[in-house]
mmCIF file of all heavy atoms in Angstrom:
data_model
loop_
_atom_site.group_PDB
_atom_site.id
_atom_site.type_symbol
_atom_site.label_atom_id
_atom_site.label_comp_id
_atom_site.label_asym_id
_atom_site.label_seq_id
_atom_site.Cartn_x
_atom_site.Cartn_y
_atom_site.Cartn_z
ATOM 1 N N ARG A 1 -17.124 22.642 16.568
ATOM 2 C CA ARG A 1 -18.475 23.123 16.880
ATOM 3 C C ARG A 1 -18.578 23.647 18.329
ATOM 4 O O ARG A 1 -19.587 24.246 18.691
ATOM 5 C CB ARG A 1 -19.530 22.007 16.649
ATOM 6 C CG ARG A 1 -19.619 21.588 15.156
ATOM 7 C CD ARG A 1 -20.679 20.527 15.002
ATOM 8 N NE ARG A 1 -20.770 20.075 13.638
ATOM 9 C CZ ARG A 1 -21.624 20.585 12.740
ATOM 10 N NH1 ARG A 1 -22.409 21.595 13.092
ATOM 11 N NH2 ARG A 1 -21.624 20.133 11.512
ATOM 12 N N PHE A 2 -17.578 23.343 19.172
ATOM 13 C CA PHE A 2 -17.706 23.683 20.602
ATOM 14 C C PHE A 2 -16.894 24.933 20.875
ATOM 15 O O PHE A 2 -15.671 25.027 20.597
ATOM 16 C CB PHE A 2 -17.220 22.541 21.385
ATOM 17 C CG PHE A 2 -18.087 21.303 21.322
ATOM 18 C CD1 PHE A 2 -17.792 20.306 20.403
ATOM 19 C CD2 PHE A 2 -19.236 21.167 22.083
ATOM 20 C CE1 PHE A 2 -18.593 19.183 20.243
ATOM 21 C CE2 PHE A 2 -20.035 20.068 21.972
ATOM 22 C CZ PHE A 2 -19.719 19.033 21.047
ATOM 23 N N PRO A 3 -17.511 25.968 21.507
ATOM 24 C CA PRO A 3 -16.821 27.195 21.822
ATOM 25 C C PRO A 3 -15.586 27.041 22.707
ATOM 26 O O PRO A 3 -14.680 27.842 22.655
ATOM 27 C CB PRO A 3 -17.907 28.052 22.520
ATOM 28 C CG PRO A 3 -19.181 27.406 22.220
ATOM 29 C CD PRO A 3 -18.910 25.924 21.967
ATOM 30 N N SER A 4 -15.594 26.025 23.568
ATOM 31 C CA SER A 4 -14.487 25.859 24.503
ATOM 32 C C SER A 4 -13.244 25.268 23.859
ATOM 33 O O SER A 4 -12.164 25.266 24.458
ATOM 34 C CB SER A 4 -14.918 24.941 25.661
ATOM 35 O OG SER A 4 -15.367 23.669 25.113
ATOM 36 N N VAL A 5 -13.358 24.834 22.609
ATOM 37 C CA VAL A 5 -12.226 24.234 21.918
ATOM 38 C C VAL A 5 -11.254 25.360 21.481
ATOM 39 O O VAL A 5 -11.707 26.447 21.067
ATOM 40 C CB VAL A 5 -12.676 23.371 20.730
ATOM 41 C CG1 VAL A 5 -11.465 22.984 19.848
ATOM 42 C CG2 VAL A 5 -13.424 22.194 21.212
ATOM 43 N N ASN A 6 -9.972 25.092 21.550
ATOM 44 C CA ASN A 6 -8.949 26.060 21.147
ATOM 45 C C ASN A 6 -9.171 26.425 19.674
ATOM 46 O O ASN A 6 -8.960 25.629 18.772
ATOM 47 C CB ASN A 6 -7.569 25.469 21.332
ATOM 48 C CG ASN A 6 -6.447 26.444 20.973
ATOM 49 O OD1 ASN A 6 -6.722 27.561 20.542
ATOM 50 N ND2 ASN A 6 -5.230 26.005 21.181
ATOM 51 N N MET A 7 -9.557 27.688 19.429
ATOM 52 C CA MET A 7 -9.901 28.073 18.081
ATOM 53 C C MET A 7 -8.652 28.335 17.203
ATOM 54 O O MET A 7 -8.752 28.703 16.045
ATOM 55 C CB MET A 7 -10.750 29.366 18.097
ATOM 56 C CG MET A 7 -12.102 29.125 18.743
ATOM 57 S SD MET A 7 -12.974 27.698 18.095
ATOM 58 C CE MET A 7 -13.315 28.227 16.457
ATOM 59 N N SER A 8 -7.465 28.186 17.813
ATOM 60 C CA SER A 8 -6.241 28.302 17.015
ATOM 61 C C SER A 8 -6.034 27.070 16.168
ATOM 62 O O SER A 8 -5.193 27.077 15.241
ATOM 63 C CB SER A 8 -5.014 28.512 17.950
ATOM 64 O OG SER A 8 -4.819 27.324 18.739
ATOM 65 N N LEU A 9 -6.807 26.010 16.420
ATOM 66 C CA LEU A 9 -6.710 24.850 15.546
ATOM 67 C C LEU A 9 -7.165 25.223 14.145
ATOM 68 O O LEU A 9 -8.130 25.938 13.982
ATOM 69 C CB LEU A 9 -7.651 23.756 16.077
ATOM 70 C CG LEU A 9 -7.230 23.115 17.460
ATOM 71 C CD1 LEU A 9 -8.313 22.151 17.954
ATOM 72 C CD2 LEU A 9 -5.895 22.390 17.346
ATOM 73 N N ALA A 10 -6.473 24.788 13.181
ATOM 74 C CA ALA A 10 -6.761 25.144 11.799
ATOM 75 C C ALA A 10 -8.155 24.653 11.383
ATOM 76 O O ALA A 10 -8.575 23.572 11.743
ATOM 77 C CB ALA A 10 -5.724 24.567 10.868
ATOM 78 N N SER A 11 -8.834 25.505 10.662
ATOM 79 C CA SER A 11 -10.144 25.141 10.133
ATOM 80 C C SER A 11 -9.975 23.956 9.140
ATOM 81 O O SER A 11 -8.964 23.906 8.412
ATOM 82 C CB SER A 11 -10.779 26.313 9.396
ATOM 83 O OG SER A 11 -11.848 25.888 8.550
ATOM 84 N N PRO A 12 -10.919 23.051 9.127
ATOM 85 C CA PRO A 12 -10.823 21.944 8.140
ATOM 86 C C PRO A 12 -10.839 22.443 6.695
ATOM 87 O O PRO A 12 -10.505 21.651 5.794
ATOM 88 C CB PRO A 12 -12.103 21.141 8.443
ATOM 89 C CG PRO A 12 -12.497 21.512 9.837
ATOM 90 C CD PRO A 12 -12.075 22.926 10.020
ATOM 91 N N TRP A 13 -11.240 23.684 6.493
ATOM 92 C CA TRP A 13 -11.330 24.202 5.080
ATOM 93 C C TRP A 13 -10.421 25.432 4.921
ATOM 94 O O TRP A 13 -10.724 26.354 4.168
ATOM 95 C CB TRP A 13 -12.766 24.580 4.769
ATOM 96 C CG TRP A 13 -13.704 23.393 4.905
ATOM 97 C CD1 TRP A 13 -13.925 22.463 3.964
ATOM 98 C CD2 TRP A 13 -14.488 23.061 6.036
ATOM 99 N NE1 TRP A 13 -14.815 21.521 4.452
ATOM 100 C CE2 TRP A 13 -15.198 21.859 5.740
ATOM 101 C CE3 TRP A 13 -14.682 23.664 7.298
ATOM 102 C CZ2 TRP A 13 -16.046 21.242 6.628
ATOM 103 C CZ3 TRP A 13 -15.547 23.036 8.208
ATOM 104 C CH2 TRP A 13 -16.218 21.856 7.817
ATOM 105 N N ALA A 14 -9.269 25.412 5.614
ATOM 106 C CA ALA A 14 -8.403 26.576 5.638
ATOM 107 C C ALA A 14 -7.525 26.758 4.378
ATOM 108 O O ALA A 14 -6.979 27.853 4.157
ATOM 109 C CB ALA A 14 -7.498 26.521 6.871
ATOM 110 N N ASN A 15 -7.465 25.713 3.575
ATOM 111 C CA ASN A 15 -6.498 25.767 2.475
ATOM 112 C C ASN A 15 -7.173 25.286 1.173
ATOM 113 O O ASN A 15 -6.874 24.223 0.627
ATOM 114 C CB ASN A 15 -5.273 24.893 2.768
ATOM 115 C CG ASN A 15 -4.146 25.116 1.803
ATOM 116 O OD1 ASN A 15 -4.090 26.121 1.068
ATOM 117 N ND2 ASN A 15 -3.190 24.197 1.742
ATOM 118 N N PRO A 16 -8.153 26.069 0.669
ATOM 119 C CA PRO A 16 -8.947 25.635 -0.477
ATOM 120 C C PRO A 16 -8.125 25.412 -1.741
ATOM 121 O O PRO A 16 -7.134 26.126 -1.923
ATOM 122 C CB PRO A 16 -9.955 26.759 -0.677
ATOM 123 C CG PRO A 16 -9.297 27.995 -0.109
ATOM 124 C CD PRO A 16 -8.487 27.448 1.065
ATOM 125 N N PRO A 17 -8.495 24.464 -2.562
ATOM 126 C CA PRO A 17 -7.834 24.282 -3.841
ATOM 127 C C PRO A 17 -8.084 25.471 -4.764
ATOM 128 O O PRO A 17 -9.115 26.140 -4.636
ATOM 129 C CB PRO A 17 -8.452 23.018 -4.399
ATOM 130 C CG PRO A 17 -9.804 22.907 -3.759
ATOM 131 C CD PRO A 17 -9.619 23.509 -2.392
ATOM 132 N N ILE A 18 -7.106 25.734 -5.614
ATOM 133 C CA ILE A 18 -7.257 26.810 -6.602
ATOM 134 C C ILE A 18 -7.350 26.200 -7.990
ATOM 135 O O ILE A 18 -6.448 25.462 -8.420
ATOM 136 C CB ILE A 18 -6.051 27.768 -6.526
ATOM 137 C CG1 ILE A 18 -5.985 28.441 -5.156
ATOM 138 C CG2 ILE A 18 -6.148 28.865 -7.611
ATOM 139 C CD1 ILE A 18 -4.761 29.293 -4.929
ATOM 140 N N ILE A 19 -8.461 26.439 -8.642
ATOM 141 C CA ILE A 19 -8.702 25.864 -9.980
ATOM 142 C C ILE A 19 -8.664 27.058 -10.968
ATOM 143 O O ILE A 19 -9.379 28.024 -10.805
ATOM 144 C CB ILE A 19 -10.061 25.142 -10.013
ATOM 145 C CG1 ILE A 19 -10.036 23.988 -9.026
ATOM 146 C CG2 ILE A 19 -10.334 24.669 -11.408
ATOM 147 C CD1 ILE A 19 -11.347 23.348 -8.818
ATOM 148 N N GLY A 20 -7.812 26.921 -11.972
ATOM 149 C CA GLY A 20 -7.618 28.023 -12.925
ATOM 150 C C GLY A 20 -8.784 28.234 -13.844
ATOM 151 O O GLY A 20 -9.944 28.248 -13.423
ATOM 152 N N ASN A 21 -8.501 28.386 -15.121
ATOM 153 C CA ASN A 21 -9.521 28.701 -16.093
ATOM 154 C C ASN A 21 -9.532 27.651 -17.197
ATOM 155 O O ASN A 21 -8.475 27.066 -17.511
ATOM 156 C CB ASN A 21 -9.209 30.092 -16.736
ATOM 157 C CG ASN A 21 -9.095 31.182 -15.681
ATOM 158 O OD1 ASN A 21 -10.050 31.698 -15.133
ATOM 159 N ND2 ASN A 21 -7.820 31.531 -15.368
ATOM 160 N N ASP A 22 -10.709 27.447 -17.817
ATOM 161 C CA ASP A 22 -10.835 26.492 -18.908
ATOM 162 C C ASP A 22 -10.407 25.079 -18.469
ATOM 163 O O ASP A 22 -9.747 24.333 -19.240
ATOM 164 C CB ASP A 22 -10.017 26.950 -20.166
ATOM 165 C CG ASP A 22 -10.330 26.143 -21.370
ATOM 166 O OD1 ASP A 22 -11.485 25.673 -21.516
ATOM 167 O OD2 ASP A 22 -9.413 25.934 -22.199
ATOM 168 N N VAL A 23 -10.710 24.720 -17.257
ATOM 169 C CA VAL A 23 -10.368 23.382 -16.721
ATOM 170 C C VAL A 23 -11.561 22.465 -16.865
ATOM 171 O O VAL A 23 -12.718 22.890 -16.657
ATOM 172 C CB VAL A 23 -9.994 23.524 -15.235
ATOM 173 C CG1 VAL A 23 -9.780 22.111 -14.617
ATOM 174 C CG2 VAL A 23 -8.707 24.347 -15.082
ATOM 175 N N TRP A 24 -11.308 21.209 -17.236
ATOM 176 C CA TRP A 24 -12.360 20.199 -17.284
ATOM 177 C C TRP A 24 -12.070 19.159 -16.165
ATOM 178 O O TRP A 24 -11.008 18.466 -16.305
ATOM 179 C CB TRP A 24 -12.441 19.566 -18.647
ATOM 180 C CG TRP A 24 -13.395 18.408 -18.742
ATOM 181 C CD1 TRP A 24 -14.425 18.114 -17.954
ATOM 182 C CD2 TRP A 24 -13.334 17.357 -19.715
ATOM 183 N NE1 TRP A 24 -15.073 16.945 -18.333
ATOM 184 C CE2 TRP A 24 -14.402 16.484 -19.433
ATOM 185 C CE3 TRP A 24 -12.501 17.108 -20.814
ATOM 186 C CZ2 TRP A 24 -14.676 15.341 -20.194
ATOM 187 C CZ3 TRP A 24 -12.773 15.939 -21.572
ATOM 188 C CH2 TRP A 24 -13.836 15.071 -21.292
ATOM 189 N N ILE A 25 -12.930 19.069 -15.208
ATOM 190 C CA ILE A 25 -12.818 18.026 -14.195
ATOM 191 C C ILE A 25 -13.939 16.988 -14.465
ATOM 192 O O ILE A 25 -15.105 17.302 -14.271
ATOM 193 C CB ILE A 25 -12.927 18.652 -12.775
ATOM 194 C CG1 ILE A 25 -11.870 19.712 -12.571
ATOM 195 C CG2 ILE A 25 -12.844 17.540 -11.716
ATOM 196 C CD1 ILE A 25 -11.967 20.387 -11.249
ATOM 197 N N ALA A 26 -13.540 15.846 -14.896
ATOM 198 C CA ALA A 26 -14.508 14.814 -15.327
ATOM 199 C C ALA A 26 -15.185 14.164 -14.110
ATOM 200 O O ALA A 26 -14.745 14.301 -12.991
ATOM 201 C CB ALA A 26 -13.869 13.787 -16.225
ATOM 202 N N ALA A 27 -16.207 13.410 -14.398
ATOM 203 C CA ALA A 27 -17.130 12.889 -13.364
ATOM 204 C C ALA A 27 -16.404 12.072 -12.285
ATOM 205 O O ALA A 27 -15.413 11.393 -12.576
ATOM 206 C CB ALA A 27 -18.208 12.039 -14.022
ATOM 207 N N LYS A 28 -16.946 12.202 -11.066
ATOM 208 C CA LYS A 28 -16.509 11.374 -9.904
ATOM 209 C C LYS A 28 -15.066 11.638 -9.495
ATOM 210 O O LYS A 28 -14.441 10.784 -8.877
ATOM 211 C CB LYS A 28 -16.739 9.898 -10.179
ATOM 212 C CG LYS A 28 -18.193 9.517 -10.413
ATOM 213 C CD LYS A 28 -18.396 8.030 -10.594
ATOM 214 C CE LYS A 28 -19.846 7.668 -10.884
ATOM 215 N NZ LYS A 28 -20.803 8.085 -9.859
ATOM 216 N N SER A 29 -14.529 12.790 -9.849
ATOM 217 C CA SER A 29 -13.194 13.131 -9.415
ATOM 218 C C SER A 29 -13.171 13.769 -8.027
ATOM 219 O O SER A 29 -14.186 14.418 -7.641
ATOM 220 C CB SER A 29 -12.530 14.072 -10.419
ATOM 221 O OG SER A 29 -12.276 13.399 -11.637
ATOM 222 N N ILE A 30 -12.086 13.650 -7.315
ATOM 223 C CA ILE A 30 -11.903 14.271 -6.028
ATOM 224 C C ILE A 30 -10.663 15.168 -6.083
ATOM 225 O O ILE A 30 -9.603 14.745 -6.567
ATOM 226 C CB ILE A 30 -11.694 13.179 -4.936
ATOM 227 C CG1 ILE A 30 -12.921 12.278 -4.829
ATOM 228 C CG2 ILE A 30 -11.395 13.813 -3.560
ATOM 229 C CD1 ILE A 30 -12.721 11.088 -3.888
ATOM 230 N N VAL A 31 -10.840 16.392 -5.620
ATOM 231 C CA VAL A 31 -9.742 17.357 -5.601
ATOM 232 C C VAL A 31 -9.496 17.760 -4.173
ATOM 233 O O VAL A 31 -10.320 18.299 -3.459
ATOM 234 C CB VAL A 31 -10.097 18.624 -6.460
ATOM 235 C CG1 VAL A 31 -8.945 19.656 -6.360
ATOM 236 C CG2 VAL A 31 -10.369 18.243 -7.895
ATOM 237 N N PHE A 32 -8.261 17.477 -3.711
ATOM 238 C CA PHE A 32 -7.912 17.729 -2.302
ATOM 239 C C PHE A 32 -7.640 19.242 -2.079
ATOM 240 O O PHE A 32 -7.396 20.000 -2.994
ATOM 241 C CB PHE A 32 -6.595 16.969 -1.953
ATOM 242 C CG PHE A 32 -6.811 15.537 -1.550
ATOM 243 C CD1 PHE A 32 -7.841 14.785 -2.145
ATOM 244 C CD2 PHE A 32 -6.003 14.917 -0.664
ATOM 245 C CE1 PHE A 32 -8.042 13.457 -1.783
ATOM 246 C CE2 PHE A 32 -6.207 13.589 -0.280
ATOM 247 C CZ PHE A 32 -7.197 12.863 -0.877
ATOM 248 N N GLN A 33 -7.747 19.576 -0.804
ATOM 249 C CA GLN A 33 -7.361 20.937 -0.413
ATOM 250 C C GLN A 33 -5.872 21.152 -0.689
ATOM 251 O O GLN A 33 -5.070 20.244 -0.693
ATOM 252 C CB GLN A 33 -7.610 21.159 1.070
ATOM 253 C CG GLN A 33 -9.087 21.396 1.359
ATOM 254 C CD GLN A 33 -9.309 22.111 2.655
ATOM 255 O OE1 GLN A 33 -8.608 23.082 2.967
ATOM 256 N NE2 GLN A 33 -10.299 21.677 3.388
ATOM 257 N N GLY A 34 -5.504 22.447 -0.897
ATOM 258 C CA GLY A 34 -4.119 22.820 -1.008
ATOM 259 C C GLY A 34 -3.528 22.636 -2.397
ATOM 260 O O GLY A 34 -2.365 23.052 -2.631
ATOM 261 N N VAL A 35 -4.256 22.015 -3.345
ATOM 262 C CA VAL A 35 -3.669 21.811 -4.678
ATOM 263 C C VAL A 35 -4.036 22.958 -5.616
ATOM 264 O O VAL A 35 -5.030 23.660 -5.362
ATOM 265 C CB VAL A 35 -4.081 20.471 -5.264
ATOM 266 C CG1 VAL A 35 -3.751 19.323 -4.375
ATOM 267 C CG2 VAL A 35 -5.560 20.434 -5.597
ATOM 268 N N LYS A 36 -3.264 23.128 -6.621
ATOM 269 C CA LYS A 36 -3.529 24.135 -7.657
ATOM 270 C C LYS A 36 -3.643 23.414 -9.028
ATOM 271 O O LYS A 36 -2.726 22.705 -9.407
ATOM 272 C CB LYS A 36 -2.439 25.180 -7.690
ATOM 273 C CG LYS A 36 -2.684 26.294 -8.764
ATOM 274 C CD LYS A 36 -1.604 27.337 -8.737
ATOM 275 C CE LYS A 36 -1.898 28.419 -9.773
ATOM 276 N NZ LYS A 36 -0.815 29.476 -9.746
ATOM 277 N N ILE A 37 -4.741 23.620 -9.682
ATOM 278 C CA ILE A 37 -4.976 23.066 -11.021
ATOM 279 C C ILE A 37 -4.825 24.202 -12.020
ATOM 280 O O ILE A 37 -5.521 25.180 -11.963
ATOM 281 C CB ILE A 37 -6.363 22.397 -11.111
ATOM 282 C CG1 ILE A 37 -6.447 21.268 -10.108
ATOM 283 C CG2 ILE A 37 -6.583 21.857 -12.560
ATOM 284 C CD1 ILE A 37 -7.803 20.570 -10.088
ATOM 285 N N GLY A 38 -3.876 24.034 -12.930
ATOM 286 C CA GLY A 38 -3.533 25.125 -13.887
ATOM 287 C C GLY A 38 -4.577 25.307 -14.972
ATOM 288 O O GLY A 38 -5.466 24.480 -15.203
ATOM 289 N N ASN A 39 -4.424 26.404 -15.689
ATOM 290 C CA ASN A 39 -5.318 26.721 -16.802
ATOM 291 C C ASN A 39 -5.348 25.597 -17.826
ATOM 292 O O ASN A 39 -4.315 24.995 -18.146
ATOM 293 C CB ASN A 39 -4.871 27.973 -17.491
ATOM 294 C CG ASN A 39 -4.913 29.182 -16.581
ATOM 295 O OD1 ASN A 39 -5.813 29.316 -15.736
ATOM 296 N ND2 ASN A 39 -3.937 30.105 -16.715
ATOM 297 N N GLY A 40 -6.501 25.321 -18.384
ATOM 298 C CA GLY A 40 -6.617 24.368 -19.470
ATOM 299 C C GLY A 40 -6.388 22.918 -19.137
ATOM 300 O O GLY A 40 -6.377 22.051 -20.017
ATOM 301 N N ALA A 41 -6.246 22.569 -17.839
ATOM 302 C CA ALA A 41 -5.953 21.189 -17.477
ATOM 303 C C ALA A 41 -7.229 20.339 -17.630
ATOM 304 O O ALA A 41 -8.363 20.823 -17.661
ATOM 305 C CB ALA A 41 -5.489 21.142 -16.025
ATOM 306 N N VAL A 42 -7.017 19.050 -17.779
ATOM 307 C CA VAL A 42 -8.091 18.064 -17.868
ATOM 308 C C VAL A 42 -7.838 16.996 -16.797
ATOM 309 O O VAL A 42 -6.769 16.386 -16.745
ATOM 310 C CB VAL A 42 -8.155 17.402 -19.251
ATOM 311 C CG1 VAL A 42 -9.207 16.296 -19.276
ATOM 312 C CG2 VAL A 42 -8.453 18.428 -20.324
ATOM 313 N N ILE A 43 -8.862 16.764 -15.983
ATOM 314 C CA ILE A 43 -8.795 15.755 -14.917
ATOM 315 C C ILE A 43 -9.665 14.584 -15.369
ATOM 316 O O ILE A 43 -10.886 14.753 -15.474
ATOM 317 C CB ILE A 43 -9.283 16.323 -13.577
ATOM 318 C CG1 ILE A 43 -8.652 17.700 -13.263
ATOM 319 C CG2 ILE A 43 -9.002 15.327 -12.488
ATOM 320 C CD1 ILE A 43 -7.140 17.688 -13.181
ATOM 321 N N GLY A 44 -9.083 13.431 -15.550
ATOM 322 C CA GLY A 44 -9.804 12.268 -16.016
ATOM 323 C C GLY A 44 -10.842 11.763 -14.996
ATOM 324 O O GLY A 44 -10.693 11.999 -13.805
ATOM 325 N N ALA A 45 -11.875 11.129 -15.497
ATOM 326 C CA ALA A 45 -12.951 10.665 -14.645
ATOM 327 C C ALA A 45 -12.428 9.766 -13.537
ATOM 328 O O ALA A 45 -11.576 8.909 -13.688
ATOM 329 C CB ALA A 45 -13.955 9.906 -15.475
ATOM 330 N N GLY A 46 -12.917 9.993 -12.344
ATOM 331 C CA GLY A 46 -12.577 9.163 -11.178
ATOM 332 C C GLY A 46 -11.223 9.448 -10.593
ATOM 333 O O GLY A 46 -10.744 8.671 -9.750
ATOM 334 N N SER A 47 -10.577 10.522 -11.009
ATOM 335 C CA SER A 47 -9.210 10.842 -10.517
ATOM 336 C C SER A 47 -9.289 11.328 -9.079
ATOM 337 O O SER A 47 -10.258 11.953 -8.654
ATOM 338 C CB SER A 47 -8.554 11.851 -11.429
ATOM 339 O OG SER A 47 -8.334 11.352 -12.731
ATOM 340 N N VAL A 48 -8.143 11.162 -8.392
ATOM 341 C CA VAL A 48 -7.964 11.750 -7.044
ATOM 342 C C VAL A 48 -6.757 12.676 -7.161
ATOM 343 O O VAL A 48 -5.611 12.236 -7.292
ATOM 344 C CB VAL A 48 -7.736 10.674 -6.001
ATOM 345 C CG1 VAL A 48 -7.554 11.304 -4.633
ATOM 346 C CG2 VAL A 48 -8.943 9.726 -5.947
#
C-alpha cells in the first residue's frame, strides 16, 4: 500500500488459479493460487 516500497515485489495476487469448465467446488473449499483445476473435476467439501 506504500508508494515508497519496491514495486518489483510480486503482487499477492500475481498467480491466479485457473479453473476449467464444468467444475464443481463444494462448500467451504479453499483453492490456492497457482493451481490448475481441470475440466469436469469435483472438489469435495472442505478441501484445500
Side-chain angles (χ1 to χ4, degrees):
R1 296 180 180 269
F2 295 93
S4 58
V5 171
N6 183 357
M7 295 310 293
S8 65
L9 294 173
S11 164
W13 301 277
N15 193 17
I18 298 175
I19 298 171
N21 306 282
D22 191 33
V23 173
W24 173 22
I25 302 177
K28 299 184 184 299
S29 293
I30 298 173
V31 178
F32 277 33
Q33 283 202 42
V35 303
K36 181 177 180 180
I37 299 178
N39 297 323
V42 174
I43 313 299
S47 295
V48 178

